[in-house]
Short mmCIF file of all heavy atoms in Angstrom, two decimals:
data_model
loop_
_atom_site.label_atom_id
_atom_site.label_comp_id
_atom_site.label_asym_id
_atom_site.label_seq_id
_atom_site.Cartn_x
_atom_site.Cartn_y
_atom_site.Cartn_z
N THR A 1 238.11 -24.95 33.18
CA THR A 1 238.94 -25.68 32.26
C THR A 1 239.34 -27.03 32.77
O THR A 1 240.07 -27.78 32.08
CB THR A 1 240.22 -24.88 31.93
OG1 THR A 1 240.92 -24.64 33.13
CG2 THR A 1 239.87 -23.56 31.25
N ASN A 2 238.95 -27.41 33.98
CA ASN A 2 239.45 -28.65 34.57
C ASN A 2 238.83 -29.87 33.89
O ASN A 2 237.71 -29.87 33.49
CB ASN A 2 239.16 -28.70 36.08
CG ASN A 2 237.69 -28.81 36.41
OD1 ASN A 2 236.86 -28.12 35.84
ND2 ASN A 2 237.36 -29.70 37.33
N ASN A 3 239.63 -30.90 33.84
CA ASN A 3 239.19 -32.21 33.36
C ASN A 3 239.42 -33.24 34.44
O ASN A 3 239.70 -34.38 34.14
CB ASN A 3 240.00 -32.58 32.10
CG ASN A 3 239.75 -31.64 30.94
OD1 ASN A 3 238.62 -31.25 30.71
ND2 ASN A 3 240.79 -31.23 30.27
N PHE A 4 239.29 -32.83 35.67
CA PHE A 4 239.64 -33.71 36.78
C PHE A 4 238.42 -33.97 37.65
O PHE A 4 237.54 -33.15 37.73
CB PHE A 4 240.71 -33.04 37.66
CG PHE A 4 241.85 -32.46 36.90
CD1 PHE A 4 241.99 -31.11 36.76
CD2 PHE A 4 242.80 -33.29 36.29
CE1 PHE A 4 243.04 -30.54 36.05
CE2 PHE A 4 243.84 -32.74 35.56
CZ PHE A 4 243.98 -31.37 35.45
N SER A 5 238.45 -35.11 38.31
CA SER A 5 237.44 -35.41 39.31
C SER A 5 238.00 -35.02 40.67
O SER A 5 239.10 -35.42 41.03
CB SER A 5 237.13 -36.91 39.28
OG SER A 5 236.32 -37.25 40.35
N GLY A 6 237.27 -34.22 41.41
CA GLY A 6 237.74 -33.80 42.71
C GLY A 6 236.99 -32.56 43.21
O GLY A 6 235.93 -32.23 42.71
N LEU A 7 237.58 -31.89 44.18
CA LEU A 7 237.02 -30.70 44.77
C LEU A 7 237.77 -29.47 44.33
O LEU A 7 238.97 -29.53 44.08
CB LEU A 7 237.11 -30.79 46.32
CG LEU A 7 236.38 -31.88 47.02
CD1 LEU A 7 236.81 -31.94 48.49
CD2 LEU A 7 234.90 -31.68 46.91
N ILE A 8 237.06 -28.37 44.31
CA ILE A 8 237.73 -27.10 44.09
C ILE A 8 237.90 -26.48 45.48
O ILE A 8 236.97 -26.39 46.28
CB ILE A 8 236.87 -26.16 43.21
CG1 ILE A 8 236.89 -26.70 41.77
CG2 ILE A 8 237.41 -24.73 43.24
CD1 ILE A 8 236.05 -25.89 40.81
N VAL A 9 239.15 -26.11 45.80
CA VAL A 9 239.49 -25.51 47.07
C VAL A 9 239.79 -24.03 46.83
O VAL A 9 240.87 -23.66 46.32
CB VAL A 9 240.76 -26.21 47.66
CG1 VAL A 9 241.08 -25.60 49.03
CG2 VAL A 9 240.51 -27.69 47.81
N PRO A 10 238.82 -23.14 47.16
CA PRO A 10 239.04 -21.73 46.94
C PRO A 10 240.02 -21.13 47.92
O PRO A 10 240.20 -21.61 49.02
CB PRO A 10 237.62 -21.15 47.14
CG PRO A 10 236.95 -22.09 48.04
CD PRO A 10 237.51 -23.43 47.76
N ILE A 11 240.68 -20.06 47.49
CA ILE A 11 241.67 -19.37 48.30
C ILE A 11 241.20 -17.93 48.51
O ILE A 11 240.94 -17.19 47.54
CB ILE A 11 243.06 -19.37 47.62
CG1 ILE A 11 243.48 -20.81 47.41
CG2 ILE A 11 244.08 -18.61 48.46
CD1 ILE A 11 244.70 -20.97 46.49
N LEU A 12 241.03 -17.58 49.80
CA LEU A 12 240.53 -16.25 50.14
C LEU A 12 241.65 -15.32 50.57
O LEU A 12 242.61 -15.74 51.19
CB LEU A 12 239.54 -16.37 51.31
CG LEU A 12 238.26 -17.14 51.06
CD1 LEU A 12 237.50 -17.38 52.35
CD2 LEU A 12 237.38 -16.43 50.03
N ASN A 13 241.47 -14.03 50.25
CA ASN A 13 242.40 -12.99 50.74
C ASN A 13 241.80 -12.39 52.00
O ASN A 13 240.72 -12.78 52.47
CB ASN A 13 242.67 -11.97 49.65
CG ASN A 13 241.50 -11.08 49.33
OD1 ASN A 13 240.48 -11.08 49.97
ND2 ASN A 13 241.69 -10.27 48.29
N PRO A 14 242.47 -11.42 52.62
CA PRO A 14 241.98 -10.84 53.89
C PRO A 14 240.61 -10.16 53.78
O PRO A 14 239.90 -10.02 54.78
CB PRO A 14 243.06 -9.81 54.27
CG PRO A 14 244.30 -10.26 53.61
CD PRO A 14 243.83 -10.94 52.34
N GLU A 15 240.26 -9.74 52.57
CA GLU A 15 238.97 -9.07 52.36
C GLU A 15 237.86 -10.08 52.08
O GLU A 15 236.73 -9.71 51.84
CB GLU A 15 239.06 -8.06 51.22
CG GLU A 15 239.86 -6.84 51.57
CD GLU A 15 241.36 -7.09 51.62
OE1 GLU A 15 241.90 -7.87 50.77
OE2 GLU A 15 242.04 -6.52 52.49
N GLY A 16 238.18 -11.39 52.11
CA GLY A 16 237.21 -12.42 51.88
C GLY A 16 236.89 -12.64 50.40
O GLY A 16 235.92 -13.29 50.05
N LEU A 17 237.76 -12.15 49.51
CA LEU A 17 237.60 -12.33 48.08
C LEU A 17 238.36 -13.54 47.63
O LEU A 17 239.46 -13.84 48.11
CB LEU A 17 238.07 -11.09 47.32
CG LEU A 17 237.39 -9.78 47.69
CD1 LEU A 17 238.05 -8.61 46.97
CD2 LEU A 17 235.92 -9.82 47.32
N TYR A 18 237.82 -14.23 46.61
CA TYR A 18 238.51 -15.38 46.07
C TYR A 18 239.60 -14.89 45.11
O TYR A 18 239.34 -14.13 44.17
CB TYR A 18 237.54 -16.29 45.29
CG TYR A 18 236.49 -16.89 46.17
CD1 TYR A 18 235.17 -16.46 46.13
CD2 TYR A 18 236.81 -17.87 47.09
CE1 TYR A 18 234.17 -17.02 46.97
CE2 TYR A 18 235.86 -18.42 47.95
CZ TYR A 18 234.55 -17.99 47.87
OH TYR A 18 233.64 -18.51 48.72
N VAL A 19 240.84 -15.34 45.37
CA VAL A 19 241.96 -14.90 44.53
C VAL A 19 242.55 -16.04 43.73
O VAL A 19 243.49 -15.86 42.97
CB VAL A 19 243.04 -14.24 45.38
CG1 VAL A 19 242.52 -12.92 45.97
CG2 VAL A 19 243.55 -15.14 46.50
N GLY A 20 242.01 -17.20 43.89
CA GLY A 20 242.47 -18.37 43.13
C GLY A 20 241.89 -19.66 43.73
O GLY A 20 241.09 -19.59 44.66
N TRP A 21 242.31 -20.76 43.17
CA TRP A 21 241.87 -22.04 43.73
C TRP A 21 242.81 -23.13 43.28
O TRP A 21 243.55 -23.01 42.33
CB TRP A 21 240.45 -22.37 43.38
CG TRP A 21 240.12 -22.66 41.97
CD1 TRP A 21 240.37 -23.81 41.27
CD2 TRP A 21 239.51 -21.79 41.03
NE1 TRP A 21 239.90 -23.71 39.98
CE2 TRP A 21 239.36 -22.47 39.78
CE3 TRP A 21 239.00 -20.50 41.11
CZ2 TRP A 21 238.81 -21.91 38.68
CZ3 TRP A 21 238.44 -19.95 39.97
CH2 TRP A 21 238.34 -20.66 38.79
N GLN A 22 242.68 -24.24 43.97
CA GLN A 22 243.38 -25.46 43.62
C GLN A 22 242.34 -26.55 43.47
O GLN A 22 241.25 -26.50 44.03
CB GLN A 22 244.37 -25.88 44.71
CG GLN A 22 245.57 -24.94 44.82
CD GLN A 22 246.55 -25.48 45.83
OE1 GLN A 22 246.29 -25.45 47.02
NE2 GLN A 22 247.74 -25.93 45.35
N TYR A 23 242.68 -27.57 42.68
CA TYR A 23 241.88 -28.76 42.55
C TYR A 23 242.42 -29.81 43.52
O TYR A 23 243.62 -30.11 43.49
CB TYR A 23 241.92 -29.35 41.15
CG TYR A 23 241.49 -28.38 40.07
CD1 TYR A 23 242.38 -27.81 39.21
CD2 TYR A 23 240.12 -28.12 39.93
CE1 TYR A 23 241.97 -26.94 38.22
CE2 TYR A 23 239.71 -27.20 38.94
CZ TYR A 23 240.65 -26.65 38.09
OH TYR A 23 240.24 -25.76 37.11
N ARG A 24 241.55 -30.38 44.34
CA ARG A 24 241.92 -31.52 45.21
C ARG A 24 241.44 -32.73 44.48
O ARG A 24 240.25 -33.02 44.37
CB ARG A 24 241.25 -31.35 46.58
CG ARG A 24 241.31 -32.57 47.51
CD ARG A 24 242.70 -33.12 47.73
NE ARG A 24 242.82 -33.98 48.86
CZ ARG A 24 242.82 -35.31 48.76
NH1 ARG A 24 242.73 -35.91 47.58
NH2 ARG A 24 242.96 -36.05 49.82
N LEU A 25 242.40 -33.47 43.86
CA LEU A 25 242.06 -34.56 42.98
C LEU A 25 241.59 -35.76 43.77
O LEU A 25 242.13 -36.10 44.82
CB LEU A 25 243.28 -34.92 42.14
CG LEU A 25 243.86 -33.77 41.32
CD1 LEU A 25 245.11 -34.24 40.57
CD2 LEU A 25 242.84 -33.22 40.33
N ASP A 26 240.59 -36.49 43.20
CA ASP A 26 240.05 -37.68 43.83
C ASP A 26 241.06 -38.86 43.74
O ASP A 26 241.21 -39.59 44.67
CB ASP A 26 238.73 -38.10 43.16
CG ASP A 26 237.58 -37.29 43.56
OD1 ASP A 26 237.63 -36.64 44.65
OD2 ASP A 26 236.57 -37.27 42.84
N HIS A 27 241.65 -39.01 42.59
CA HIS A 27 242.44 -40.22 42.34
C HIS A 27 243.85 -39.82 41.87
O HIS A 27 244.14 -39.84 40.69
CB HIS A 27 241.80 -41.10 41.27
CG HIS A 27 240.37 -41.46 41.62
ND1 HIS A 27 240.04 -42.32 42.63
CD2 HIS A 27 239.20 -41.03 41.08
CE1 HIS A 27 238.72 -42.42 42.71
NE2 HIS A 27 238.18 -41.62 41.80
N ALA A 28 244.68 -39.47 42.83
CA ALA A 28 246.05 -39.13 42.50
C ALA A 28 246.92 -39.47 43.70
O ALA A 28 246.99 -38.71 44.65
CB ALA A 28 246.15 -37.63 42.19
N PRO A 29 247.60 -40.61 43.66
CA PRO A 29 248.36 -41.08 44.79
C PRO A 29 249.54 -40.13 45.15
O PRO A 29 249.91 -40.02 46.30
CB PRO A 29 248.87 -42.44 44.37
CG PRO A 29 248.76 -42.49 42.91
CD PRO A 29 247.69 -41.54 42.51
N LYS A 30 250.17 -39.46 44.19
CA LYS A 30 251.33 -38.63 44.50
C LYS A 30 250.98 -37.15 44.53
O LYS A 30 251.21 -36.48 45.49
CB LYS A 30 252.44 -38.92 43.49
CG LYS A 30 252.94 -40.38 43.63
CD LYS A 30 254.27 -40.51 42.95
CE LYS A 30 254.61 -42.01 43.03
NZ LYS A 30 255.87 -42.29 43.56
N LEU A 31 250.46 -36.64 43.45
CA LEU A 31 250.15 -35.20 43.34
C LEU A 31 248.64 -35.05 43.58
O LEU A 31 247.84 -35.36 42.71
CB LEU A 31 250.52 -34.65 41.95
CG LEU A 31 250.30 -33.18 41.72
CD1 LEU A 31 251.16 -32.33 42.63
CD2 LEU A 31 250.60 -32.83 40.29
#
């Protein structure tokens, strides 16, 4: 659903499963 330019940063749990992610935005000076 993202409309952003940047990287997806996956978040792993102890079992090595992806439980979520954040977007690392290319062009965002504050957030």
Side-chain angles (χ1 to χ4, degrees):
T1 60
N2 69 315
N3 296 316
F4 314 107
S5 172
L7 298 171
I8 291 178
V9 181
I11 301 168
L12 297 170
N13 71 7
E15 289 74 37
L17 301 174
Y18 297 108
V19 293
W21 67 79
Q22 290 184 291
Y23 301 107
R24 169 53 165 100
L25 304 176
D26 283 340
H27 307 288
K30 295 196 186 233
L31 182 64

